[in-house]
Amino acid sequence: MLEHLEGEVEFDLDRLMNAYPVPEPSYRVWHDGADVGPKGRQAVRDWYAGHLRARGLVLQYDIETIVVDDRTVVTDGYMSAVLPGQNIRDRGVPDADPARVYLKRFRNCILWPFDEAGRLIGEEFHLSGNLGASDLWVLEDADVPQEFHRLTEAAEAFEKKSASLP
């Protein structure tokens, strides 16, 4: 689980995916009662590649509660995401300025399931309620964290690398 989170922080898609030692990781992502999560290694990789391209991986997860049993780790707390204006528009806020950078803060509870061998097999969480304009602030240029700029550089490098692949 830590390897996966560190892969997200480093914007390292290979590291993130290597945290899933199972052949077909699966996400259950609930949005308005429907599971919209990716299923299978390529679908999960493509999902994260899309987040990287959309500059949607500058995250801070202030975990308040952790619960652990034999097959699941549950983390709960507030997630803060630094997002470009276009990403905010794509999340359902049509008047978001694509030239600005926003801070989105929302409650997030993630279930991290493991198989009988103790291998991480996916994630489960809810998107409902965290896509709109609530808990959303425009950041002044001086307040945009360096990590966002680093993500933009990583996304551009990823896009360039992806464009050169057959």
Side-chain angles (χ1 to χ4, degrees):
M1 192 174 107
L2 184 57
E3 186 71 14
H4 173 82
L5 292 170
E6 288 176 353
E8 283 185 349
V9 168
E10 294 299 318
F11 317 123
D12 184 334
L13 197 53
D14 291 329
R15 183 175 184 185
L16 186 150
M17 291 305 299
N18 287 339
Y20 293 110
V22 296
E24 295 298 316
S26 180
Y27 277 47
R28 291 194 307 181
V29 180
W30 298 101
H31 184 260
D32 295 334
D35 178 4
V36 297
K39 311 288 187 262
R41 182 159 295 279
Q42 190 60 50
V44 170
R45 184 179 184 85
D46 291 347
W47 193 66
Y48 275 103
H51 283 294
L52 179 60
R53 286 186 186 101
R55 281 60 163 181
L57 287 176
V58 177
L59 306 170
Q60 178 176 319
Y61 192 13
D62 298 318
I63 298 172
E64 296 174 353
T65 304
I66 299 175
V67 178
V68 179
D69 70 14
D70 292 340
R71 297 290 294 269
T72 308
V73 173
V74 179
T75 55
D76 180 63
Y78 279 96
M79 181 79 71
S80 298
V82 176
L83 301 164
Q86 186 59 53
N87 187 303
I88 295 297
R89 285 183 129 186
D90 294 345
R91 289 169 170 249
V93 183
D95 58 340
D97 182 349
R100 301 302 303 261
V101 177
Y102 293 77
L103 176 66
K104 175 76 176 160
R105 188 163 163 83
F106 53 93
R107 190 87 195 176
N108 198 13
C109 180
I110 302 174
L111 287 76
W112 305 84
F114 293 82
D115 67 11
E116 60 282 344
R119 300 177 301 182
L120 182 63
I121 59 174
E123 291 182 38
E124 179 173 355
F125 56 91
H126 294 259
L127 289 177
S128 302
N130 74 0
L131 296 179
S134 63
D135 302 317
L136 180 66
W137 300 271
V138 176
L139 293 176
E140 297 301 323
D141 291 342
D143 295 327
V144 175
Q146 277 306 117
E147 289 301 307
F148 182 81
H149 299 297
R150 194 166 71 86
L151 172 62
T152 298
E153 292 169 7
E156 289 168 355
F158 178 76
E159 289 169 350
K160 188 175 185 180
K161 180 181 172 185
S162 296
S164 67
L165 296 176

